[in-house]
Each structure stands twice: as structure tokens, then as C-alpha cells.
Amino acid sequence: MFEPVPQFEEEKSRLRQRAFEQRKAILRADWADMAKVAANHFLAGVPLSASDVVALYWPIRDEIDCKPLLTALMDSGQPVCLPVVLGDGEPLEMRLWEQGQPLYPSGFGTLAPAETAPVVEPDLVVIPLLAFDRLGTRLGYGKGYYDRTLAGYAKKPLLVGYAFSGQELDFIPREAHDLPLDMLVTEAGVQKFPAA
């Protein structure tokens, strides 16, 4: 479905390497505080109705910890779902995480609700990322899971990047299938991007 353009892939590969190094340079001692501040910015600045289903993720590697946000949303009764990787080349399955239900390992070091949890299409997707630019272009890990998932939805959800402010790059090339972010939340605040 998504055929990579060779020159874009080469550039994105170079940018991924730079982004990994840039993210790794963020002082680990500050991570927990930055995650709490980012969660507060999200709760104060991202529009949500009580019935909106929010897709979050279980953080891996050096990603900003979204568990403070996850906990706050769950405690407030906001419907939350988590992604499950079904296989290479497959879209993610978003499973509703119901209060009191356990999470299980679901690959790549992530946790997700059980196979019996309801599968949903979220109204808002909080997207993990490796880097972002000032135009709202997101650089992921290159597997295309979110691109495939979003392409299959009946309606486009609000796309919110969640990251450390230190993950910004000057420019990230955007291919036809790359959906830009609507908003970005970092420890520095909430940024809205104009519709592309």
C-alpha cells in the first residue's frame, strides 16, 4: 500500500539516526518531571469530550513517558485504548482498556489489553514519535504501523504528537501517506498546526 520513495527513505534513515542521538541526549534525570508537565499541558490544552476515545501507547526506549497522562485520563473516566501489533505489514488493533482490566505483553516491550477487549476506532490518537518539525511532520521508526492504521479508519481522528521538546528537527520530508500532526504536546506546551 505504501511504496517508499528511495530518496525519501535514505533521508529519513539519516534523520532517524540523528533523532535517536538527539533524544538520547535529553537528560534522563529530568524525564519524570518532563512527563508530568507534558501530561498537565495535554489535559489543559487538548480539547476532549467525555465520550471521546483516546488512543495512547505504552512507552518504549527513550520515549517520553505517557503513563502520567494515561493514569489521569483513566482516573477521570475518559475512554482509553492501546495499540496492539498484529504483525509486520498489518495495521494496529486499538483495544479499549477498561478500568481494572490487566495489561499483557504485546511485542516491542509494550503492554496492551487482552484479546477479548473491545476493538475501537479512536477519536484522538496520541502518537509516539522519534522526531517532529515545525510543520507538524512526524518521524516514526519506519515500520508504517500508524500510517496503515490511520488510512483504514472511517474518519480521521485528531492526531496529537507526544514528545520531548528536544526531539524537534529543522525539517522532515513528508510523503503522500504521511499524515501531519494536528497538535503536538511536549513539556514546553501545546502547539497546534494549521491543516495541511
Side-chain angles (χ1 to χ4, degrees), residues 18 46 50 52 97 128 168 183 188:
R18 183 169 149 214
V46 176
D52 284 344
W97 186 20
E168 184 172 2
M183 302 178 79

Side-chain angles (χ1 to χ4, degrees), residues 14-25:
R14 187 183 65 75
L15 288 172
R16 279 188 191 98
Q17 185 58 44
R18 183 169 149 214
F20 271 121
E21 291 166 9
Q22 200 166 303
R23 190 169 70 181
K24 200 172 247 184

Side-chain angles (χ1 to χ4, degrees), residues 57 83 92 94 125-128 138 144-150:
Y57 60 91
L92 299 167
M94 296 292 183
V125 179
V126 178
I127 304 184
R138 165 191 169 270
Y145 288 116
Y146 278 91
D147 293 326
R148 278 189 298 278
T149 304
L150 296 168

Side-chain angles (χ1 to χ4, degrees), residues 42-43 46-56 69-81 96-99 123-124 126:
F42 182 101
L43 296 168
V46 176
L48 276 179
S49 71
S51 63
D52 284 344
V53 177
V54 178
L56 270 161
L69 176 58
L70 187 57
T71 301
L73 291 174
M74 291 288 287
D75 287 350
S76 72
Q78 191 76 44
V80 170
C81 62
L96 197 64
W97 186 20
E98 296 169 301
Q99 199 73 38
D123 300 289
L124 185 151
V126 178

